[in-house]
Every structure is written in structure tokens, then in C-alpha cells.
Amino acid sequence: MKKSLVVILVLVGLVFIIGSFWVSKSNEMVRLKNTAEAQWANVETAYQRRADLIGNLVKTVQGAADFERNTLKEVVEARAKATSVNIDASKLTPETVAQFQEAQSGLTSALSRLLVTVEKYPDLKANQNFLQLQSQIEGTENRINIERTRFNEAAKQYNTYIELFPNSIIASFSGRTKMPLFKAQAGAEKAPEVNFNFN
């Protein structure tokens, strides 16, 4: 009877130790994933700030009577497309991140064309509202880069944690998968061509 009691106590102790270990690792996975998802929300907030500022910039630029309407239309359409892409942070996949990045890239491109076109309008370039908005957009672009970098770091920590042994066993049993990272856009490795054509 004593041997069977010892065996039962040892088994109960082992189950308790393994269960505690499992719970501890699972909780850490939840904490790391939540941190990465919160950082994703910061990325979206930075992009939303840019979209909001661009709306104000477009209204300011529309005040220039002979401003090119086509350029403004492209910016407004790209902004609408970029703000319509909503991604659930708990369901991030490489495809959804690429979709989000593509929509934001279209807005970046349209904004660049707008700012280049503005160069033709000295009165607009001297407008205080325009200058202030342009400065805020530049600052927001820096924020976006910082938030994307922070998201990549948080996702990397989560991905590393769930891939380490024995965490990988617990992650596979609980259906946890890696989070995708932001990557450079295609062609970003090439230096931009600078052309000073004043004609």
C-alpha cells in the first residue's frame, strides 16, 4: 500500500510540475502576442494620423484656384483606399500585411506626386497652413517607420519564443503560428535617381 501511495504522489507531483510549466509557457506566449498586437495597433494609428493630415493638406491645397485637380483626385482616392484596409491584429498573415502595405504604398506615391506638383505654386508653398501640414506629415512618416520597427521587434520576440524548444511543442498544440513582419517594398534596395531638370 505504501508503494502505490508513493507512486501516486510522484505521478501527481509530475502532473503538477508539467502542468505548471505548460501554463507558464502558454501565458508567456499570450503576453508576447498581445504585445505584438498592441504594437500593430500603434502602426495603424500612425498611418491613420497620416491619412487625417493628408485630408487637411488636400483641403488646404484645394484653395489654390488653378491647382491640378487630377493630382488631388488621386490623393483622395489613395487615401480612401488606404483607410479602408482594416486588418485584425490577431489574424495577421504575410498576405494581409502585404495588402495593408500595398494600400499604404499607393497613398505614399500619390502624396509624393502632390508635393512635387506643389512646387509649381509659390503662393501655396509659402502658405503657413500648408507648411505646417507638410512638416507634420514628414514627422508622421518618421513615426510610421518607428512604429513599424517596434512592431517587427515585438513580433520577432514572439516568433522566437514560440519556435524555441520546448515552447514549440506547446505552441503547436495550442495552434500558435508566427506573426508576419513588415518588409521593405520591392525596389527599395535601389538608390533613387535624382534628376535636376529645371526646364
Side-chain angles (χ1 to χ4, degrees):
M1 183 88 170
K2 286 186 177 183
K3 276 188 173 181
S4 62
L5 183 61
V6 169
V7 169
I8 290 173
L9 288 175
V10 167
L11 287 175
V12 168
L14 281 173
V15 167
F16 178 77
I17 290 170
I18 292 170
S20 296
F21 177 78
W22 189 283
V23 167
S24 170
K25 295 297 181 178
S26 289
N27 286 343
E28 184 63 12
M29 288 177 198
V30 168
R31 187 188 67 74
L32 290 171
K33 185 170 189 212
N34 287 343
T35 299
E37 288 176 354
Q39 190 54 49
W40 174 260
N42 292 343
V43 169
E44 289 183 317
T45 299
Y47 276 112
Q48 183 62 51
R49 174 180 162 75
R50 177 176 74 166
D52 294 344
L53 288 171
I54 289 172
N56 292 336
L57 184 68
V58 166
K59 287 176 187 168
T60 301
V61 170
Q62 280 176 331
D66 59 347
F67 198 79
E68 298 171 24
R69 302 279 175 226
N70 209 22
T71 305
L72 283 175
K73 182 180 174 191
E74 288 174 11
V75 172
V76 169
E77 288 172 357
R79 179 179 177 265
K81 182 179 177 187
T83 56
S84 71
V85 176
N86 295 317
I87 297 173
D88 184 354
S90 65
K91 296 177 180 144
L92 289 176
T93 64
E95 293 79 22
T96 57
V97 171
Q99 177 189 11
F100 182 82
Q101 217 168 343
E102 182 181 326
Q104 297 303 329
S105 174
L107 182 55
T108 300
S109 177
L111 179 60
S112 295
R113 286 192 301 278
L114 173 68
L115 294 177
V116 165
T117 306
V118 162
E119 293 298 315
K120 298 180 198 172
Y121 298 88
D123 291 343
L124 184 57
K125 282 178 25 181
N127 180 308
Q128 278 305 112
N129 289 339
F130 176 80
L131 293 174
Q132 186 177 16
L133 285 166
Q134 188 176 15
S135 175
Q136 286 184 22
I137 287 173
E138 289 169 4
T140 300
E141 293 297 329
N142 288 335
R143 285 184 190 181
I144 288 169
N145 187 43
I146 288 168
E147 297 301 345
R148 286 171 44 148
T149 301
R150 288 179 180 166
F151 169 77
N152 278 352
E153 184 58 35
K156 183 187 87 163
Q157 287 178 359
Y158 171 75
N159 292 343
T160 301
Y161 191 81
I162 68 169
E163 289 182 319
L164 293 173
F165 183 81
N167 303 347
S168 58
I169 296 169
I170 297 168
S172 66
F173 273 107
S174 56
R176 298 183 193 282
T177 57
K178 289 176 66 173
M179 295 185 91
L181 303 176
F182 272 103
K183 295 179 180 163
Q185 304 224 348
E189 71 282 357
K190 297 175 189 164
E193 185 178 317
V194 178
N195 183 3
F196 294 105
N197 184 359
F198 296 107
N199 295 332

